[in-house]
Amino acid sequence: TQLLEQSPQFLSIQEGENLTVYCNSSSVFSSLQWYRQEPGEGPVLLVTVVTGGEVKKLKRLTFQFGDARKDSSLHITAAQPGDTGLYLCAVSNSGGSNYKLTFGKGTLLTVNP
Amino acid sequence: DAGVIQSPRHEVTEMGQEVTLRCKPISGHDYLFWYRQTMMRGLELLIYFNNNVPIDDSGMPEDRFSAKMPNASFSTLKIQPSEPRDSAVYFCASSYALAGGPRDTQYFGPGTRLTVL
């Protein structure tokens, strides 16, 4: 069983469309991170959400942390081909010596021109 | 800064051969992480170092895998002997801090794509 379930697994849309991807878990987290990974590159951190219900905006990207801090969503407005990539969510069990950053399997987004 | 540097970018080898992957972290970062990414399992943490000392290697799949960090600017991940199921993209990442604050951001290298035939 995956700690983090991301959906959809694949998403192909046309330029200009809006989309939302999800990251869900049955566990409660103190924080959650979103990354974007472009083909042939490593993941790059987009945002960290900490507070339940928190909403953060990064240009056309809107990130929301669920009230219960078990889930998160990423909404992209007017998608562009440059948004193409693998979107990963991740959580850490920070505290103590048993640190680990756990990633979901990601949503592979393709934005067609 | 050039960011995290990994070499080689691509490696193709035959089953049974030794493979060594290399990483140069960002200067000044105290933490270094090795990850493996596959379609089936996603991105998994293998091991991480703090100030060149291995802290948690519980993600290392088998004894065939070993990692070293002889100094603050260099780390290796070695697989001996390699097997086809080791085929994956291996990432190195580094950070100033471990968790809990803006300095814990992990910066990933471009990865090494390993293919074991």
Side-chain angles (χ1 to χ4, degrees):
Chain A
T1 303
Q2 286 282 315
L3 180 64
L4 296 172
E5 296 286 346
Q6 290 193 246
S7 61
Q9 188 175 357
F10 302 97
L11 185 58
S12 181
I13 63 170
Q14 294 300 121
E15 183 176 1
E17 293 183 6
N18 302 331
L19 67 113
T20 303
V21 299
Y22 301 92
C23 177
N24 296 296
S25 177
S26 58
S27 300
V28 177
F29 303 111
S30 57
S31 66
L32 185 146
Q33 297 180 326
W34 283 95
Y35 292 77
R36 178 168 65 212
Q37 183 178 10
E38 297 185 10
E41 300 295 331
V44 175
L45 179 66
L46 296 173
V47 75
T48 300
V49 287
V50 178
T51 306
E54 180 178 7
V55 176
K56 282 192 174 179
K57 292 193 174 184
L58 187 66
K59 298 184 180 178
R60 293 177 294 99
L61 278 60
T62 301
F63 304 85
Q64 184 162 8
F65 201 15
D67 291 340
R69 291 185 286 124
K70 293 183 177 181
D71 51 76
S72 182
S73 64
L74 160 57
H75 181 80
I76 302 179
T77 303
Q80 298 177 0
D83 296 327
T84 292
L86 180 67
Y87 288 82
L88 299 160
C89 63
V91 294
S92 67
N93 57 337
S94 58
S97 61
N98 193 27
Y99 169 84
K100 185 173 183 177
L101 188 62
T102 300
F103 287 82
K105 288 190 177 180
T107 293
L108 185 60
L109 172 66
T110 302
V111 182
N112 303 297
Chain B
D1 200 313
V4 176
I5 299 173
Q6 291 188 246
S7 65
R9 291 295 309 270
H10 302 273
E11 176 81 33
V12 181
T13 189
E14 292 189 345
M15 181 174 62
Q17 297 297 307
E18 177 179 295
V19 175
T20 300
L21 311 181
R22 297 173 175 78
C23 174
K24 176 179 169 55
I26 293 173
S27 177
H29 282 190
D30 290 334
Y31 290 87
L32 182 141
F33 308 83
W34 281 101
Y35 290 87
R36 178 173 68 176
Q37 186 175 39
T38 61
M39 286 290 292
M40 286 295 294
R41 301 176 67 89
L43 193 61
E44 301 174 289
L45 177 65
L46 300 177
I47 185 172
Y48 78 91
F49 295 81
N50 177 26
N51 291 323
N52 315 336
V53 177
I55 302 301
D56 184 357
D57 65 355
S58 60
M60 296 285 262
E62 302 173 31
D63 292 345
R64 297 184 297 106
F65 286 70
S66 62
K68 295 182 179 180
M69 193 165 185
N71 57 63
S73 59
F74 184 66
S75 176
T76 60
L77 178 67
K78 184 176 294 186
I79 308 173
Q80 166 64 18
S82 59
E83 297 183 2
R85 60 193 168 121
D86 301 331
S87 296
V89 182
Y90 290 82
F91 289 100
C92 175
S94 68
S95 67
Y96 282 113
L98 190 56
R103 291 171 64 83
D104 67 350
T105 298
Q106 291 189 24
Y107 295 86
F108 285 76
T112 296
R113 180 173 294 276
L114 172 66
T115 302
V116 183
L117 303 175

